[in-house]
Amino acid sequence: MLPGVGPIDNEKTGRPKEMSAPTRLLVAKAAVLSSAMLARKNSSSRGAPGSAAGFGARESIAAISDMLSSQHKKPVRSSYVESDRVEWALKIACTISMITVCIHTPRTIELFQPLNYIILAADFISVSIFMLDSVLRIHYEGIFRCDSSYLSNRWSQFSVFISIIHLLSFLLHCYQLIDNFFPFLHLNYRAWYGAIRSIRPFIIIRLIPLVVKFKLPKNRIEQLLKRSSQQVKNVTLFFVFFMTLYAIFGIQLFGRMDYHCVQPKTDPNNVTIMDLAIPDTMCAPEGIGGYECPAPMVCMQLNLNAKGEGFYGMFNDFGASVFTVYLAASEEGWVYVLYDCMDSLPSYLAFLYFCTLIFFLAWLVKNVFIAVITETFAEIRVQFSEMWQKKEVTLDEGFRKKLEKTDDGWRLIRLDGEVEPEGPKQKLQWMLRSMYFQCFVIIFVVINAIGNAMFVYRHDETDKPRKYNFYLFEVGFTILFNVECIIKILCYGFRNFIRRGIFKFELILCLGSSLNCVKFFYERNYFTYFQTFRLLRLIKASPILEDFVWKIFSPGKKLGGLVIFTIAFICCYSAISLQLFYSVPNLHHFRTFPQAFMSMFQIITQEGWTDFVVEVLRATDDNLVPLVALYFVAYHLFVTLIVLSLFVAVILDNLEMDEELKKVKQLRAREATTSMRSTLPWRLRVFEKFPTRPQMAAMRKADSDFPMPKVRGSFTHQFAVDHSLETTDVIESDFEFPKRIMKSAGKRKISKSGLTFRQIGSTSLRCSLNNLLEKSRSMTGKFLQTAVRNKQFNMYSENGDLSRPSDSAPKKNAKQGEIDIRALQQKRQLAEITRNRIEEDMRENHPFFDRPLFLVGRASQLREFCKKMVHSKYDSQDDGTNGGAKTKKRFKEIRALIGIMPYIDWAMATVTIVSCISMLFESPWPTTGENLVMNNGYLQISDYFFVLSMTFELCVKIIANGLFFTPKAVVRDVGGVMNLFIYFTSVIFLAWMPKHVEINSLAQFLMICRAMRPLRIYTLVPHIRRVVLEFFRGFKEILLVTILMIVVMFIFASFGVQIVGGKLAACNDPTVSSRENCTGVFWQKLFVTRLEVYGKDTEAMHPKIMVPRVWTNPRNFNFDHVGNAMLALFETLSFKGWNVIRDILWSRHGPWAVVFIHIYVFIGCMIGLTLFVGVVIANYTQNRGTALLTVDQRRWHDLKARLKMAQPLHVPPKPSESARLRTKLYDLTMSRWFNQAFALLVVLNSFTLVIPWNVEEEEQRATYVFTVTALAAFMNMLFVIEIILKVIAYTFSGFWQSRRNRVDLLITVFGVIWIFLHFFVALPSSKIDVDVQVELKKFTYTFGYLVVILRFFTIASRNSTLKMLMLTVIMSMFRSFFIITALFLLVLFYAYTGVILFPMVKYGMAVSKHVNFRTASEALVVLFRCLTGEDWNDIMHDCMRSAPFCYWNEGMNYWETDCGNFYGAIIYFCSFYLIITYIVRNLLVAVIMENFSLFYSSEEDALLSYADIRNFQYVWNMVDQEQKRTIPVERVKFLLRLLKGRLEVDPEKDRILFKHMCYEMERLHNGEEVSFHDVLYMLSYRSVDIRKSLQLEELLQREELEFIIEEEVAKQTIRTWLEGCLRKMRNPSQKDAEGVLPFGGGHPVIHSSGHSSISHEETVAQRLRFENIRGDSVDTEETESSEEETPPPIRKKAAVKNRRGSIPDVLSRTGLFQEAARKFMVGSSSEKKQVKSRSPETVQLLPKRANSEIRKGSGQPKNFHLQLNVYDLPDVEERGEDSPFSPKNLSDDFNGEHSPLVITPSLPVPPTHGSPRPLMPCETTKDIEKWWNSLVD
């Protein structure tokens, strides 16, 4: 009976109390659940012993506990309190409260005065409901009297708190009204009192449990939230770590950037806008290396406060620096801070700082949040699977079917089609379902969409009549689609019609578009969206696109729930912000709720959010600035890192496949690969179209080991086989066609070419099979490769077919659904063999096959020489000699990098890089063209060298591999085509070298083609080529997402054209509103600065320029036609410029026009962009092979990567007990509090950098600077003490073993040097020379803060969480190295192209002295800015400038004009942003997510936890005392004994497994030393279920390995025992009656592993005893006599020289020695000394058949009982074991019948001096000989 739910004794009656109905139901549930879990436990324990049994038990207990907790914690309440009416009243009250708090602002009430009283009445109702609910619940449940009381629950406490806040808000409103109506009371109401209402929006939290009903128990929810919050907390800590690092680095590197270019007589304390340069420019004092002001401007330091400088871009102190770093990490506005830093300091410092900041913070660290949210969401999906379970329905849900018997048999009949219509309806239904009708409808939808898109607003008198014509056009199509809808209703009936979702959508479109045709509605665009949404029917036209959309959006609960959550969260936060900031003066963003909502929505999109926050901070009181900044940063952090990551998580979850589907996909992928391998590419299949022209060949005699393959019916067969004359006649008569061919061949000049000799033996089918199988089934270890190669020798028949070897892996009965791995692998091998056969036939029958350029012979010496040149490369796997092995281990990564491609490719990559570097110096500036390659001979050198080198490379590769029609041709894929394209364009350009290049000319196009030279490296480096291939493999899904986004953009573009087309034009003078008055000129204000200086808002002082009035559209966008509208929406898709569109729509068309752009931004950006992220991540994981992995396979994949990065711990050796001081210091330094104290000291030391360390800061705040530097010096001395204590405790050698200690020592030494230089050299140097002191202080301050920053890095090694996440980032960098390289090469190509297209574009809104394409280096900076999305659209519009808005004449060179390229700019920037930002950059997210799962997966889900790995590291350090990272193989057994946890191996319980593990280490490493990872990999394989965790190929290899180890262990055990038998028979004269075991003597026996089986220090007596068994009845007397017998004295056997350590390794797996063993055999002692033997264990090999006949004449039974003594393993110093291996399964007869293995302990046998037993009879020798012959056979 479960505790707490059983019958309870009634104290009064003495009878058991009856259980209530809920309790009985609970007991029933628990019983059913327990039985189910118990059944699962039993089944799982039978399937995988020890793996899942414990988990099932824990799972059942946890589930019952959750049920009990969820039931018993529910208090008994009255039905009135729990009634639905009360619940509905609370929902209404929450909704009313949320609405009233959103409209309760002074500005809203001013618009509608009665709203004040409405709000008061609504608040009274909601407050009354809340208070009444609280009072009733307190009355029924009590307050504090029991655990189930009202206030004991946190939700109830929150409800009470919110009710009190509502009451206070209501009273405050009454107080305000009283103050308004009775001013004589002087109540003095303040607007900021309303801030108390900012807590009211949290009422939405109370609404959640009323609306959403969770089915999970409370404990599960709390555990889930705790775990996910812990992960988010850890990642946030990691993010704060990097922010702190860059903040203190920015403080020291930039400091106070207060220097500006101003007028000479400017007062630095009172700066006006007239004193600044236009635009305001920062500068650097002379000699520093920054920007120098032009005359007559001077560089002056201005004294401005934080509000004047604008907060953003300041590094004055720690707070301002952290704020700047965070805003820059959001990739918004960071370039303007970069440009200020580049003007204030040398540009390379600022560029490196911000590039690394963007890379680490914005691209790597922040993307870890996506990984965390994705992992958490995956767990939530599992836990809430019941809530989010998809219904098993199809898209056509209404058309359900049933099975009915008709005249034609059983058929599926639709339920809606039970009554089959007759006559015209039947034909009409057939027509509606036909493909022709569907195509007809789709065509008309497309025509309608194209027709609407063709309208163009010209802003003249023709717009109105043309608009009317399009109105008639729309009316006609609306009638057409209405007729279609009516026909469907008549055919199917309205009830059946309305069931289908697609028909509902069509009906809604028809109704809405019909209303839109009304002239009144059409002119006001009330129903225009029904007309534009008609285009969504195109998705139905494409089945692929329809399936993709269905897969993404079909789980509507997840995505829909997330959208609702996001909108609710924005509304809640908008209401909070509204109540907090509506009373702030000069801040218009929070006057009404719509304004507040738009402001908070803008922060989510991050477009211009930095300017918005700065504006709010400037309007806020100085004392509240830190709190307000923290408020908006927290909101931005949550919505951008968590809410947006949730969208990615939902998309990825929708793209996730089921476990069974993954297995099917794996099989299909391998089958597809197999089918591809069996066919030749189409360029080689061309030869099949030509007649055969076989060549004459002189066949050498084949070796007998390689018989001639049976090539039936082939031409060569009649020459390879000796036929008789009759056979020849038959062949000639049967095959006349070959005879004619030979006659024609005889006419050819064969004598000139000579005969071709071919060696049959080395190229025969058998040899090729062996080579192929050796490559495909290769395993690690020389011994294993040899064993597998021997087994593969007979795996084929004469015709080349593969057959499964009889002695391969153990045959198991394949379960239903399992994959035959061997069959799949053999099928793949046969496919390769088939392809090789086809190629061989081609070589024999086509003389021009595999002949480069049809000229070079196949066996030409020139070709062989070229092949060696092309394919020669460094072999990183080659074993080094003469000390080379040590070098190989040391430089393993470098050697592997060198060996990734041949030497010739390395040479060409180097030449290409040199040529690309030379192209960086090409520049159109100055306009004379002297830095262009056409006019500069030095730049032409690299071009000539590149062309010559590539010419040589292509010639050599073509001679070696052929050009096109050869198997390994140079042009066999897109890469080869690109190589030739780059080569020929380079040659043509070098030959032409045009001096005159116009815009859009052929010469300019040729220069753009030449700019593709960096992409040549794609084809040379295989890893980069793999990145490109992975991109194109997933191109289908990316194309579908692109098409989907184009459809969405087209719909919204059409809608934009309909509602605002032709209506956005206005006069550039804001004072003029009509087009007729927009004439003349006016004064236009100029943008000067972002600083808040005097005169900035004054009309008279602000600089102006006179410009003409122009009636025109906005600069960057318009909706006059669909093309411009789609371009504007594409820019909006990147979150750029949408706020400008919003503001213009608001100002010119009112607030309702803004809804359109907000909906598009939300749908297109927040969902569409996450689609790109999700698809790119899914494709990456699929190409990496991880997408199709099951859960177990993914865990194994992560475990292998985790083990690969695990390293031995550098734990110092503990001192001996005699050294008491060292022991105490050792315990002190190894204690936890000691490490935590010094970690805190590192943090405090880092906070000494909160102010700049420089000479200028010292002049202003000398005391502060000296204090922090002295404090840093003091803490550095504490670190010196730490080092001294560790050196004393560990000794210097032990201290030096740890890399962390070495780094600490190095940093500490630097710190001591800094202390000496700064405090003893720099500070006292003022007595010598002031200038010298300044220079010394600059050096010491720089050196000092670098030491402190280096010390700050060490905190990552002191914190396990930071260390783990740091490893994630570092591994992401290494794994994404080739992705980043491919990205850089693509950006480099775009940089060269930009220099050619937009070299001298004149300055505009975005193009300036920092942003231009004059050189490739400057173009790289611009493109890196565009890569982050920072105002890339403004740069594009500046580069689109063309005549007449720029200087251009006919025939001008492109570098002589300041025009851009209109269409070139659109293609250039849109393709760049789409390819690089949307696709390539998201690959980094995929890499981080992959690495995150390695380091941060939960301990419960991991196959091996970090605790298990850490335990192994500790044990390894105990064994590897020298810390060489390798140990002798004989120490492995000692290491295995010490392991605990999941890796624990008990030598007593798991003896056979223990033997297998030891043998695996010995054999795979040939008795040499084993490394840390060798043992760890072996343990990991043994600790998992390989059938579930391993993939097919790896599983096959592992099963082969374990089978061979199992076989060899059994054979070694038999061999060890048999040696004793053979030596006994060879020495029959020895006095031991029972025989002497060979390993019992003093001389050790050498095993095949190369080491002795017993040590010299210890001799062990081993007893091997055979007991007679006669089925169930055994002779008692014989048994008793055998038990009473005592062994003779143990003797030492003399050593025998040149004795073999073991018999040949030809024994089979089955133990067949039961027929030969007849007598008891006991070991001897050394020199007649009595040695107490250990308590041996006996391995009993029981026969399978209990009853068997007794052999006649021998007196011995056929079946017998074998006892084999097995002793404990020796210590680590021993070289081997007495009985190294015990058999796993032994047979009882020659037919292979196995007997079970039973291990039982045997009593100790004391040594006695009994009489010797008689020697073995002769028949025993015969039996052994018979058994030996059977083994050999």
Side-chain angles (χ1 to χ4, degrees), residues 1588-1605:
K1588 294 181 179 179
S1589 300
L1590 273 61
Q1591 298 186 60
L1592 299 181
E1593 289 81 0
E1594 187 181 8
L1595 176 61
L1596 180 61
Q1597 295 180 4
R1598 185 64 195 178
E1599 284 187 339
E1600 284 283 351
L1601 172 62
E1602 291 187 359
F1603 162 68
I1604 293 173
I1605 292 173

Side-chain angles (χ1 to χ4, degrees), residues 307 311 584-585 616-628:
K307 283 190 174 181
F311 301 99
V584 177
V616 175
L617 293 180
R618 280 176 169 168
T620 309
D621 186 72
D622 292 342
N623 298 324
L624 298 178
V625 165
L627 296 178
V628 174

Side-chain angles (χ1 to χ4, degrees), residues 770-886:
N770 274 329
N771 294 332
L772 178 62
L773 295 179
E774 287 171 12
K775 292 180 181 178
S776 62
R777 301 180 58 194
S778 60
M779 301 180 187
T780 57
K782 297 180 180 179
F783 167 77
L784 190 59
Q785 291 176 357
T786 305
V788 176
R789 191 180 301 117
N790 292 334
K791 291 181 178 298
Q792 292 169 349
F793 184 77
N794 295 319
M795 287 184 60
Y796 51 86
S797 57
E798 287 189 5
N799 60 354
D801 295 334
L802 292 175
S803 61
R804 182 167 180 165
S806 59
D807 58 344
S808 61
K811 299 179 180 178
K812 299 180 181 179
N813 295 328
K815 299 179 181 179
Q816 186 177 3
E818 289 188 356
I819 301 172
D820 191 351
I821 307 172
R822 283 193 170 277
L824 184 62
Q825 192 178 43
Q826 291 175 5
K827 185 178 180 181
R828 181 179 301 179
Q829 295 167 359
L830 285 174
E832 293 182 358
I833 294 171
T834 303
R835 176 168 176 168
N836 293 335
R837 283 180 178 176
I838 296 173
E839 290 189 6
E840 289 298 329
D841 291 341
M842 291 284 188
R843 286 188 177 89
E844 291 181 359
N845 298 324
H846 296 275
F848 293 106
F849 182 81
D850 196 15
R851 296 189 65 175
L853 302 177
F854 305 112
L855 298 175
V856 183
R858 298 173 187 168
S860 172
Q861 295 182 357
L862 177 61
R863 187 183 184 188
E864 295 298 328
F865 176 75
C866 293
K867 278 186 178 181
K868 291 180 180 179
M869 291 185 61
V870 170
H871 300 292
S872 61
K873 66 177 181 178
Y874 178 77
D875 187 6
S876 59
Q877 303 297 329
D878 189 16
D879 295 333
T881 56
N882 299 326
K886 187 178 296 185

